[in-house]
Amino acid sequence: MNRIAVYPGSFDPVTLGHINIIQRGAALFDRLIVAVAVNLEKQTLFPEEDRLRLLRKSVETLPNVEVDRLDGLLVDYVQRVKAGVVLRGVRAVSDFDYEFQMAAMNRRLARQVETVFLMADESAAFISSRLIKEVAAMGGDATPFVPSHVGPELAARVALKNGGRNR
Ligand code: ADP
C-alpha cells in the first residue's frame, strides 16, 4: 500500500519543531508532502517563495518528503494528490481546541480523509514560529530553534521589518 500523508502549515518560518514532525512522519508514511499554505488570512513575515525555499532546503536529505504550495481547501488538495491522511503536530492543550475543530471540519468535508496527530517531542514542545519571531524581533537569539540556514534569514527579515531597531 502506498500511504501518502500531507503535512499542512504556514511554516513562517520552518522550526525544529516542524522538522521533528516531518522526520517522524517520513518514517511512518511512504510519502510525505509538506504543504505550505499560501493566501493566508494572517500576515506572514516571510513571503510564500521564502517559506517554500527554506523548507525545501530543510528536507533535501529526506528522499520521501516533498514540499508543495497549498492554495485553497486542504481536503481538496489531499484528495487531488491521492493522500488519505493529514498530519498535524500538537504541543500543549492550547493547540488542542483549534486542531480538534479543524480535524472535525475536515472530516465533515471529506469523511475518507483522516487526521493523524503526533505529540510534540519534549525537546521541541515549546517551539512555535510565532514565539521564535517574537524572540528574534526583541533582539534575542532564535538560532537554536530553527534549522541552521533559517537563522540568518530570520534575523535579516526581522531587521528589515524593524527598520534597523535592536541592531
Ligand atoms: P498553522 O498556521 O497551520 O498552525 P504552523 O506552521 O504553525 O501552521 O504549524 C503546522 C503544524 O505543525 C501544526 O499542526 C502545529 O501544531 C505543528 N507544530 C508547530 N510547531 C510544532 C512543534 N514545536 N512540535 C510539534 N508540532 C508543531
Side-chain angles (χ1 to χ4, degrees):
M1 210 147 108
N2 191 22
R3 289 197 180 273
I4 308 173
V6 173
Y7 177 37
S10 22
F11 304 102
D12 183 40
V14 55
T15 69
L16 293 183
H18 296 129
I19 298 299
N20 176 262
I21 298 293
I22 292 171
Q23 285 170 338
R24 289 158 66 200
L28 286 171
F29 298 97
D30 297 312
R31 231 176 111 203
L32 181 66
I33 304 170
V34 184
V36 181
V38 301
N39 293 332
L40 295 163
E41 289 276 309
K42 58 185 173 188
Q43 186 77 39
T44 56
L45 178 65
F46 287 89
E48 165 190 338
E49 312 77 62
D50 288 3
R51 288 182 285 133
L52 283 153
R53 179 175 50 78
L54 293 172
L55 252 172
R56 285 207 171 103
K57 187 160 173 54
S58 310
V59 304
E60 64 189 4
T61 56
L62 298 169
N64 63 335
V65 178
E66 62 211 80
V67 177
D68 195 8
R69 66 196 291 281
L70 168 64
D71 196 358
L73 205 56
L74 174 63
V75 289
D76 288 346
Y77 177 84
V78 169
Q79 292 177 104
R80 196 163 67 239
V81 298
K82 300 191 168 24
V85 170
V86 172
L87 181 67
R88 296 284 288 180
V90 275
R91 283 156 294 191
V93 187
S94 51
D95 279 342
F96 183 83
D97 198 38
Y98 174 67
E99 294 292 340
F100 181 81
Q101 277 187 33
M102 204 166 77
M105 175 58 82
N106 285 336
R107 204 168 152 69
R108 282 298 288 269
L109 294 172
R111 200 144 280 283
Q112 63 282 16
V113 174
E114 281 291 0
T115 304
V116 169
F117 294 98
L118 289 179
M119 297 290 258
D121 187 80
E122 58 280 9
S123 65
F126 61 95
I127 302 174
S128 71
S129 296
R130 183 185 57 79
L131 208 51
I132 61 132
K133 281 183 283 192
E134 269 179 43
V135 168
M138 301 287 176
D141 180 17
T143 54
F145 316 119
V146 291
S148 56
H149 62 283
V150 175
E153 293 206 32
L154 177 60
R157 270 270 151 209
V158 161
L160 195 70
K161 197 179 166 206
N162 279 347
R165 275 180 280 134
N166 297 326
R167 295 221 96 192

